[in-house]
Amino acid sequence: ASCLVAGLYNAQDTFSKDENGLYTIMDIVEVPNSLQKDLYSKSIVFFTKKNAPNFESIQSRDDNNSRLIAKTFTNLRTPKIGDTTIFPTWDVNCKDGKCKVIISNITFTHVNRPGELYNLENIPKSWFGKERYISDVQQSIKSSLLMFKEYLEKEESKDW
């Protein structure tokens, strides 16, 4: 439980907007005494393993600089908007003892509008509950960020 509180305390409480006007959440995930290469390897595994079933794929990797870009997806049901699938982009840059995570470029689809892709910044004005939906998306992303943090902190088993 304390890890949950720490993870939510360190992450931005709300979206900010980047220089392009996109909603963004940024966090520094600290894992003391961890090497850059180990954090990067664990990040790759996190975004490709079945232990993170909501994560789609790594879009690009820079192995020399321990940086990756991943596009993820999460199904989200909200009372006012209904069933949607959100697709945030994760930019993960690892150094010794920490990873900087920037989550942005958040798009989504709606179950009643198949084939249409929306940006979080451009939710149709006619949609009732828009502010609540943005808040629910924030909470969903924070939950995924916490899962990532917990995975990086997990000790590797020496057993085989």
Side-chain angles (χ1 to χ4, degrees):
S2 63
C3 188
L4 173 67
V5 172
L8 292 178
Y9 179 77
N10 289 333
Q12 287 175 195
D13 287 336
T14 59
F15 284 121
S16 62
K17 288 203 174 183
D18 68 10
E19 64 277 0
N20 299 315
L22 300 176
Y23 284 106
T24 302
I25 289 181
M26 192 277 294
D27 195 11
I28 304 296
V29 177
E30 295 191 31
V31 188
N33 304 315
S34 294
L35 297 175
Q36 177 178 0
K37 68 179 181 64
D38 295 335
L39 290 174
Y40 182 60
S41 294
K42 285 179 104 173
S43 297
I44 291 169
V45 170
F46 179 80
F47 286 105
T48 56
K49 280 286 230 188
K50 288 195 182 264
N51 64 0
N54 290 338
F55 295 145
E56 190 173 272
S57 66
I58 295 175
Q59 293 183 325
S60 68
R61 288 174 47 173
D62 180 350
D63 295 339
N64 293 329
N65 294 304
S66 298
R67 184 176 180 190
L68 64 87
I69 308 286
K71 189 74 165 177
T72 66
F73 72 93
T74 303
N75 294 320
L76 181 62
R77 172 174 280 175
T78 60
K80 306 278 188 206
I81 301 289
D83 293 340
T84 62
T85 302
I86 59 172
F87 302 94
T89 299
W90 294 56
D91 181 344
V92 180
N93 192 355
C94 300
K95 304 284 183 200
D96 285 343
K98 61 188 170 187
C99 291
K100 180 179 180 180
V101 180
I102 299 172
I103 303 170
S104 64
N105 192 25
I106 302 157
T107 57
F108 67 96
T109 58
H110 192 281
V111 69
N112 294 334
R113 295 172 177 86
E116 293 183 37
L117 189 65
Y118 299 95
N119 290 330
L120 193 58
E121 297 77 19
N122 299 319
I123 296 174
K125 293 185 188 327
S126 61
W127 286 18
F128 183 69
K130 181 171 136 173
E131 292 77 17
R132 171 66 191 266
Y133 180 71
I134 291 172
S135 176
D136 290 343
V137 169
Q138 286 180 153
Q139 289 306 314
S140 176
I141 290 173
K142 284 184 192 179
S143 178
S144 296
L145 185 59
L146 185 58
M147 284 177 21
F148 178 68
K149 178 180 179 0
E150 289 172 347
Y151 186 79
L152 291 183
E153 291 174 338
K154 189 170 66 171
E155 290 291 323
E156 294 297 319
S157 174
K158 303 295 181 208
D159 298 332
W160 45 276

